[in-house]
Amino acid sequence: MKTKSVGLLGGSFDPAHAGHVKITKAALVYFGLDEIWWLVSPGNPLKKTSHLSFNSRLESATHLMQHPRVRVSDIEKRIGTNYTVDTLSKLTHSFPKMQFVWLMGADNFVQFDQWRQWERIMYTVPIGILARPGNRLAPLTARSARKFRLHRVATKQSRRLAKAETPSWCYINLPMSNLSSSAIRIASAQ
């Protein structure tokens, strides 16, 4: 039996911003998680470069995310993984009593089918999806949503996601925040 439910929010955090904090706090509530780990990625395979060094991104995220149930982690760098499927494989093996939930913004779920072994990820851990600015219906019509439509957990049942059998996913349509790392980088360059 799993003893703790842990949400995993991976990303470059280039830079971390208030939008990340907002969806993290929402995920704790909506998905009934015991804690969340921010996995600061050493390198995102879908992005060409990081604008800040890994250490700067980790330090910035640690400074910004101040919550007793959220831990900012360099675990992907320490275990040598660049792909979510590999990270999840190592984490589920290393922490067998924890129930992990992969967290992502809806913008990432729209392109989830481009991730390495994305279907395997769906069968490894439940997926919690949080709305992002843009088309609110896009996540529901994405290839991954269509393929796994029968495995969607209703929003009103979202607190059960961590204990749901895989594959399972839940989309939470939150109030929007227009913050993005890209917009912050552009504004700081001007």
Side-chain angles (χ1 to χ4, degrees), residues 35-150:
E35 59 185 64
I36 292 178
W37 298 354
W38 278 17
L39 306 181
V40 179
S41 174
N44 183 333
L46 295 179
K47 294 183 180 178
K48 300 226 186 280
T49 60
S50 291
H51 296 82
L52 298 172
S53 71
F54 175 80
N55 288 338
S56 294
R57 293 183 288 118
L58 183 66
E59 184 179 318
S60 169
T62 302
H63 177 73
L64 179 67
M65 187 67 250
Q66 298 291 316
H67 191 286
R69 292 172 39 211
V70 180
R71 177 167 51 127
V72 177
S73 175
D74 66 348
I75 197 163
E76 284 188 313
K77 186 172 185 175
R78 286 187 284 122
I79 63 177
T81 57
N82 283 328
Y83 294 97
T84 300
V85 67
D86 299 328
T87 299
L88 290 173
S89 177
K90 288 192 177 188
L91 289 177
T92 55
H93 178 75
S94 298
F95 301 97
K97 292 192 180 240
M98 290 190 181
Q99 176 59 59
F100 292 108
V101 173
W102 186 258
L103 302 172
M104 67 171 73
D107 52 335
N108 282 317
F109 192 62
V110 169
Q111 47 120 15
F112 187 47
D113 63 324
Q114 297 173 34
W115 292 25
R116 178 180 278 185
Q117 298 182 23
W118 69 276
E119 292 171 326
R120 184 172 159 204
I121 295 169
M122 290 290 296
Y123 282 96
T124 302
V125 295
I127 310 287
I129 302 136
L130 299 132
R132 295 274 296 150
N135 183 344
R136 290 177 180 243
L137 295 179
L140 301 175
T141 59
R143 179 176 176 218
S144 46
R146 290 190 319 269
K147 179 163 183 153
F148 289 96
R149 71 185 176 281
L150 299 178

Side-chain angles (χ1 to χ4, degrees), residues 27 29-32 101-106 109 122 125-131 139-140 144-145 148-162 164-165 167-174:
V29 173
Y30 280 98
F31 300 127
V101 173
W102 186 258
L103 302 172
M104 67 171 73
F109 192 62
M122 290 290 296
V125 295
I127 310 287
I129 302 136
L130 299 132
L140 301 175
S144 46
F148 289 96
R149 71 185 176 281
L150 299 178
H151 302 281
R152 181 178 176 198
V153 174
T155 302
K156 63 184 175 183
Q157 300 295 320
S158 64
R159 293 183 62 80
R160 294 186 186 181
L161 183 65
E165 292 291 322
S168 58
W169 62 281
C170 183
Y171 174 56
I172 302 296
N173 198 351
L174 300 170

